[in-house]
Amino acid sequence: MSSITRRQALGVAAGAAGAVAGLALAGSAGAATPRAAAPTAGAQPAAFDEVYQGRRIKGGPSHGGGHHGGHHGGGYSVTIDGEELHVMQNADGTWISVINHYDPVATPKAVARAAVRELQGAPLVPLTLA
C-alpha cells in the first residue's frame, strides 16, 4: 500500500476543518436568522440598480455575449461602477462571483453587495477570459 501524499493529507485536513466549522456555525446559529432560501434554479432574478456603500451596482438579464449568457441561452449581467463582475448561478439556484466564489448567496444583488464589501473600496479589475 502506498503512503499518503502531502496533497491528500492537506485535502483531508481542509475537509475536516470545514466540517468542524460548519458544525460550529450550525450549533451557534440558534436564534440567528438563517440565510434566505435560494430561488429556483433557472428562474430569472429581478433587475436592480442601486448605490451600495458608495458603489453603483447594477444587474439584469444579459443579451448574449457574456461568458454564461452566450453559452447557455440567456444569462445575467452584474456591474460594479460600470465594470463587469463575472457571476454564475449554481445548479441549486445560488449565485457566486469571481470575488466570493466559495460563499454562495441567494441572488445576483446579494452577490454584488458581497463583492462590494470584499473589495473594501478597491476598484473592480476587469476579468479577461481566454
Side-chain angles (χ1 to χ4, degrees):
M1 180 171 196
S2 65
S3 62
I4 189 168
T5 66
R6 191 176 344 186
R7 180 174 284 189
Q8 290 169 327
L10 288 173
V12 169
V20 169
L23 289 173
L25 285 174
S28 67
T33 305
R35 256 193 189 166
T40 306
Q44 191 67 261
F48 62 92
D49 181 353
E50 70 177 30
V51 174
Y52 179 74
Q53 293 187 359
R55 310 290 291 269
R56 164 113 12 229
I57 59 173
K58 293 182 182 182
S62 62
H63 303 289
H67 177 68
H68 292 282
H71 296 299
H72 300 294
Y76 203 87
S77 175
V78 173
T79 62
I80 297 175
D81 296 333
E83 294 293 338
E84 183 178 4
L85 173 66
H86 186 75
V87 298
M88 184 176 84
Q89 187 175 24
N90 294 316
D92 66 356
T94 59
W95 290 82
I96 58 174
S97 76
V98 294
I99 295 179
N100 73 324
H101 199 79
Y102 299 105
D103 189 19
V105 294
T107 65
K109 183 187 226 180
V111 88
R113 288 176 170 182
V116 166
R117 288 189 303 272
E118 189 68 28
L119 285 167
Q120 299 179 8
L124 179 62
V125 178
L127 175 66
T128 306
L129 298 174

mmCIF file of all heavy atoms in Angstrom, residues 21-53:
data_model
loop_
_atom_site.group_PDB
_atom_site.id
_atom_site.type_symbol
_atom_site.label_atom_id
_atom_site.label_comp_id
_atom_site.label_asym_id
_atom_site.label_seq_id
_atom_site.Cartn_x
_atom_site.Cartn_y
_atom_site.Cartn_z
ATOM 1 N N ALA A 21 -16.008 23.607 11.235
ATOM 2 C CA ALA A 21 -16.510 24.980 11.171
ATOM 3 C C ALA A 21 -18.006 24.988 10.874
ATOM 4 O O ALA A 21 -18.759 25.768 11.461
ATOM 5 C CB ALA A 21 -15.760 25.775 10.106
ATOM 6 N N GLY A 22 -18.445 24.124 9.983
ATOM 7 C CA GLY A 22 -19.869 24.045 9.656
ATOM 8 C C GLY A 22 -20.697 23.623 10.852
ATOM 9 O O GLY A 22 -21.770 24.163 11.109
ATOM 10 N N LEU A 23 -20.200 22.651 11.605
ATOM 11 C CA LEU A 23 -20.909 22.209 12.803
ATOM 12 C C LEU A 23 -20.953 23.310 13.856
ATOM 13 O O LEU A 23 -21.956 23.508 14.523
ATOM 14 C CB LEU A 23 -20.242 20.952 13.375
ATOM 15 C CG LEU A 23 -20.432 19.678 12.563
ATOM 16 C CD1 LEU A 23 -19.581 18.553 13.160
ATOM 17 C CD2 LEU A 23 -21.887 19.281 12.499
ATOM 18 N N ALA A 24 -19.844 24.032 13.990
ATOM 19 C CA ALA A 24 -19.803 25.126 14.959
ATOM 20 C C ALA A 24 -20.806 26.212 14.593
ATOM 21 O O ALA A 24 -21.514 26.742 15.441
ATOM 22 C CB ALA A 24 -18.397 25.709 15.042
ATOM 23 N N LEU A 25 -20.875 26.545 13.293
ATOM 24 C CA LEU A 25 -21.832 27.556 12.851
ATOM 25 C C LEU A 25 -23.264 27.079 13.048
ATOM 26 O O LEU A 25 -24.123 27.834 13.479
ATOM 27 C CB LEU A 25 -21.602 27.910 11.381
ATOM 28 C CG LEU A 25 -20.401 28.793 11.096
ATOM 29 C CD1 LEU A 25 -20.211 28.930 9.590
ATOM 30 C CD2 LEU A 25 -20.584 30.140 11.728
ATOM 31 N N ALA A 26 -23.526 25.825 12.719
ATOM 32 C CA ALA A 26 -24.874 25.289 12.867
ATOM 33 C C ALA A 26 -25.274 25.275 14.333
ATOM 34 O O ALA A 26 -26.405 25.593 14.689
ATOM 35 C CB ALA A 26 -24.953 23.886 12.280
ATOM 36 N N GLY A 27 -24.329 24.929 15.209
ATOM 37 C CA GLY A 27 -24.621 24.879 16.633
ATOM 38 C C GLY A 27 -24.830 26.253 17.233
ATOM 39 O O GLY A 27 -25.613 26.428 18.148
ATOM 40 N N SER A 28 -24.122 27.251 16.709
ATOM 41 C CA SER A 28 -24.237 28.587 17.278
ATOM 42 C C SER A 28 -25.334 29.411 16.620
ATOM 43 O O SER A 28 -25.627 30.497 17.061
ATOM 44 C CB SER A 28 -22.901 29.327 17.141
ATOM 45 O OG SER A 28 -22.625 29.578 15.782
ATOM 46 N N ALA A 29 -25.946 28.875 15.561
ATOM 47 C CA ALA A 29 -26.967 29.633 14.840
ATOM 48 C C ALA A 29 -28.155 29.929 15.732
ATOM 49 O O ALA A 29 -28.707 31.015 15.703
ATOM 50 C CB ALA A 29 -27.403 28.892 13.578
ATOM 51 N N GLY A 30 -28.559 28.971 16.522
ATOM 52 C CA GLY A 30 -29.642 29.146 17.482
ATOM 53 C C GLY A 30 -30.683 30.148 17.071
ATOM 54 O O GLY A 30 -31.547 29.887 16.264
ATOM 55 N N ALA A 31 -30.604 31.361 17.626
ATOM 56 C CA ALA A 31 -31.584 32.406 17.352
ATOM 57 C C ALA A 31 -31.206 33.259 16.160
ATOM 58 O O ALA A 31 -31.931 34.168 15.805
ATOM 59 C CB ALA A 31 -31.731 33.291 18.584
ATOM 60 N N ALA A 32 -30.063 32.965 15.549
ATOM 61 C CA ALA A 32 -29.633 33.776 14.403
ATOM 62 C C ALA A 32 -30.576 33.559 13.228
ATOM 63 O O ALA A 32 -31.177 32.504 13.079
ATOM 64 C CB ALA A 32 -28.209 33.397 13.996
ATOM 65 N N THR A 33 -30.691 34.575 12.411
ATOM 66 C CA THR A 33 -31.533 34.481 11.227
ATOM 67 C C THR A 33 -30.841 33.626 10.189
ATOM 68 O O THR A 33 -29.708 33.900 9.823
ATOM 69 C CB THR A 33 -31.780 35.885 10.637
ATOM 70 O OG1 THR A 33 -32.319 36.707 11.663
ATOM 71 C CG2 THR A 33 -32.718 35.828 9.458
ATOM 72 N N PRO A 34 -31.507 32.574 9.696
ATOM 73 C CA PRO A 34 -30.883 31.730 8.679
ATOM 74 C C PRO A 34 -30.805 32.469 7.357
ATOM 75 O O PRO A 34 -31.530 33.427 7.119
ATOM 76 C CB PRO A 34 -31.822 30.521 8.581
ATOM 77 C CG PRO A 34 -33.130 31.016 9.078
ATOM 78 C CD PRO A 34 -32.820 32.101 10.080
ATOM 79 N N ARG A 35 -29.915 32.011 6.481
ATOM 80 C CA ARG A 35 -29.800 32.583 5.148
ATOM 81 C C ARG A 35 -31.080 32.401 4.378
ATOM 82 O O ARG A 35 -31.761 31.390 4.523
ATOM 83 C CB ARG A 35 -28.701 31.860 4.381
ATOM 84 C CG ARG A 35 -27.487 32.652 4.292
ATOM 85 C CD ARG A 35 -26.565 32.059 3.287
ATOM 86 N NE ARG A 35 -25.329 32.790 3.438
ATOM 87 C CZ ARG A 35 -24.198 32.439 2.959
ATOM 88 N NH1 ARG A 35 -24.108 31.354 2.261
ATOM 89 N NH2 ARG A 35 -23.135 33.159 3.161
ATOM 90 N N ALA A 36 -31.389 33.368 3.548
ATOM 91 C CA ALA A 36 -32.584 33.271 2.719
ATOM 92 C C ALA A 36 -32.442 32.100 1.774
ATOM 93 O O ALA A 36 -31.369 31.810 1.269
ATOM 94 C CB ALA A 36 -32.766 34.561 1.915
ATOM 95 N N ALA A 37 -33.539 31.420 1.533
ATOM 96 C CA ALA A 37 -33.531 30.288 0.610
ATOM 97 C C ALA A 37 -33.264 30.784 -0.800
ATOM 98 O O ALA A 37 -33.716 31.852 -1.195
ATOM 99 C CB ALA A 37 -34.878 29.568 0.661
ATOM 100 N N ALA A 38 -32.511 30.010 -1.533
ATOM 101 C CA ALA A 38 -32.184 30.386 -2.908
ATOM 102 C C ALA A 38 -33.409 30.198 -3.793
ATOM 103 O O ALA A 38 -34.192 29.277 -3.594
ATOM 104 C CB ALA A 38 -31.045 29.516 -3.420
ATOM 105 N N PRO A 39 -33.578 31.077 -4.769
ATOM 106 C CA PRO A 39 -34.685 30.900 -5.695
ATOM 107 C C PRO A 39 -34.464 29.646 -6.539
ATOM 108 O O PRO A 39 -33.372 29.112 -6.598
ATOM 109 C CB PRO A 39 -34.637 32.162 -6.563
ATOM 110 C CG PRO A 39 -33.285 32.735 -6.359
ATOM 111 C CD PRO A 39 -32.784 32.238 -5.053
ATOM 112 N N THR A 40 -35.503 29.202 -7.179
ATOM 113 C CA THR A 40 -35.419 28.022 -8.024
ATOM 114 C C THR A 40 -34.395 28.236 -9.125
ATOM 115 O O THR A 40 -34.362 29.281 -9.757
ATOM 116 C CB THR A 40 -36.803 27.737 -8.652
ATOM 117 O OG1 THR A 40 -37.755 27.651 -7.605
ATOM 118 C CG2 THR A 40 -36.781 26.460 -9.448
ATOM 119 N N ALA A 41 -33.556 27.222 -9.349
ATOM 120 C CA ALA A 41 -32.545 27.315 -10.402
ATOM 121 C C ALA A 41 -33.239 27.566 -11.732
ATOM 122 O O ALA A 41 -34.270 26.984 -12.044
ATOM 123 C CB ALA A 41 -31.728 26.035 -10.455
ATOM 124 N N GLY A 42 -32.653 28.457 -12.519
ATOM 125 C CA GLY A 42 -33.204 28.762 -13.832
ATOM 126 C C GLY A 42 -34.183 29.933 -13.832
ATOM 127 O O GLY A 42 -34.473 30.485 -14.877
ATOM 128 N N ALA A 43 -34.712 30.314 -12.674
ATOM 129 C CA ALA A 43 -35.632 31.449 -12.604
ATOM 130 C C ALA A 43 -34.828 32.729 -12.817
ATOM 131 O O ALA A 43 -33.733 32.880 -12.297
ATOM 132 C CB ALA A 43 -36.329 31.486 -11.252
ATOM 133 N N GLN A 44 -35.363 33.654 -13.607
ATOM 134 C CA GLN A 44 -34.661 34.907 -13.897
ATOM 135 C C GLN A 44 -34.863 35.897 -12.749
ATOM 136 O O GLN A 44 -35.981 36.286 -12.456
ATOM 137 C CB GLN A 44 -35.180 35.491 -15.204
ATOM 138 C CG GLN A 44 -34.353 36.641 -15.728
ATOM 139 C CD GLN A 44 -32.953 36.237 -16.158
ATOM 140 O OE1 GLN A 44 -32.015 36.420 -15.400
ATOM 141 N NE2 GLN A 44 -32.820 35.715 -17.362
ATOM 142 N N PRO A 45 -33.788 36.295 -12.065
ATOM 143 C CA PRO A 45 -33.912 37.250 -10.966
ATOM 144 C C PRO A 45 -34.294 38.645 -11.470
ATOM 145 O O PRO A 45 -34.065 38.979 -12.629
ATOM 146 C CB PRO A 45 -32.516 37.279 -10.359
ATOM 147 C CG PRO A 45 -31.740 36.205 -11.022
ATOM 148 C CD PRO A 45 -32.445 35.834 -12.264
ATOM 149 N N ALA A 46 -34.826 39.427 -10.568
ATOM 150 C CA ALA A 46 -35.213 40.794 -10.904
ATOM 151 C C ALA A 46 -33.986 41.659 -11.160
ATOM 152 O O ALA A 46 -32.927 41.448 -10.569
ATOM 153 C CB ALA A 46 -36.026 41.395 -9.758
ATOM 154 N N ALA A 47 -34.141 42.622 -12.037
ATOM 155 C CA ALA A 47 -33.072 43.586 -12.311
ATOM 156 C C ALA A 47 -32.946 44.529 -11.112
ATOM 157 O O ALA A 47 -33.900 44.739 -10.363
ATOM 158 C CB ALA A 47 -33.380 44.369 -13.574
ATOM 159 N N PHE A 48 -31.760 45.109 -10.939
ATOM 160 C CA PHE A 48 -31.547 46.072 -9.862
ATOM 161 C C PHE A 48 -30.555 47.126 -10.310
ATOM 162 O O PHE A 48 -29.758 46.918 -11.221
ATOM 163 C CB PHE A 48 -31.067 45.378 -8.581
ATOM 164 C CG PHE A 48 -29.736 44.677 -8.722
ATOM 165 C CD1 PHE A 48 -28.551 45.329 -8.412
ATOM 166 C CD2 PHE A 48 -29.664 43.361 -9.153
ATOM 167 C CE1 PHE A 48 -27.327 44.695 -8.538
ATOM 168 C CE2 PHE A 48 -28.448 42.717 -9.291
ATOM 169 C CZ PHE A 48 -27.270 43.372 -8.985
ATOM 170 N N ASP A 49 -30.623 48.281 -9.685
ATOM 171 C CA ASP A 49 -29.719 49.403 -9.933
ATOM 172 C C ASP A 49 -29.754 50.244 -8.674
ATOM 173 O O ASP A 49 -30.760 50.883 -8.365
ATOM 174 C CB ASP A 49 -30.191 50.207 -11.149
ATOM 175 C CG ASP A 49 -29.282 51.382 -11.480
ATOM 176 O OD1 ASP A 49 -28.343 51.674 -10.707
ATOM 177 O OD2 ASP A 49 -29.519 52.021 -12.515
ATOM 178 N N GLU A 50 -28.670 50.225 -7.911
ATOM 179 C CA GLU A 50 -28.640 50.958 -6.649
ATOM 180 C C GLU A 50 -27.214 51.365 -6.309
ATOM 181 O O GLU A 50 -26.254 50.869 -6.896
ATOM 182 C CB GLU A 50 -29.232 50.113 -5.519
ATOM 183 C CG GLU A 50 -28.354 48.932 -5.113
ATOM 184 C CD GLU A 50 -28.931 48.146 -3.931
ATOM 185 O OE1 GLU A 50 -30.165 48.114 -3.776
ATOM 186 O OE2 GLU A 50 -28.139 47.575 -3.174
ATOM 187 N N VAL A 51 -27.109 52.262 -5.353
ATOM 188 C CA VAL A 51 -25.816 52.621 -4.793
ATOM 189 C C VAL A 51 -25.726 51.880 -3.464
ATOM 190 O O VAL A 51 -26.588 52.016 -2.599
ATOM 191 C CB VAL A 51 -25.673 54.143 -4.603
ATOM 192 C CG1 VAL A 51 -24.377 54.463 -3.883
ATOM 193 C CG2 VAL A 51 -25.744 54.849 -5.943
ATOM 194 N N TYR A 52 -24.677 51.068 -3.335
ATOM 195 C CA TYR A 52 -24.464 50.281 -2.126
ATOM 196 C C TYR A 52 -23.063 50.598 -1.601
ATOM 197 O O TYR A 52 -22.076 50.429 -2.306
ATOM 198 C CB TYR A 52 -24.607 48.785 -2.428
ATOM 199 C CG TYR A 52 -24.380 47.901 -1.231
ATOM 200 C CD1 TYR A 52 -25.335 47.807 -0.227
ATOM 201 C CD2 TYR A 52 -23.211 47.183 -1.094
ATOM 202 C CE1 TYR A 52 -25.133 47.002 0.886
ATOM 203 C CE2 TYR A 52 -22.993 46.374 0.012
ATOM 204 C CZ TYR A 52 -23.957 46.283 0.991
ATOM 205 O OH TYR A 52 -23.745 45.491 2.097
ATOM 206 N N GLN A 53 -22.989 51.095 -0.394
ATOM 207 C CA GLN A 53 -21.735 51.505 0.238
ATOM 208 C C GLN A 53 -20.905 52.398 -0.694
ATOM 209 O O GLN A 53 -19.696 52.240 -0.842
ATOM 210 C CB GLN A 53 -20.928 50.283 0.682
ATOM 211 C CG GLN A 53 -21.591 49.522 1.798
ATOM 212 C CD GLN A 53 -20.732 48.398 2.361
ATOM 213 O OE1 GLN A 53 -19.616 48.149 1.912
ATOM 214 N NE2 GLN A 53 -21.258 47.715 3.356
#
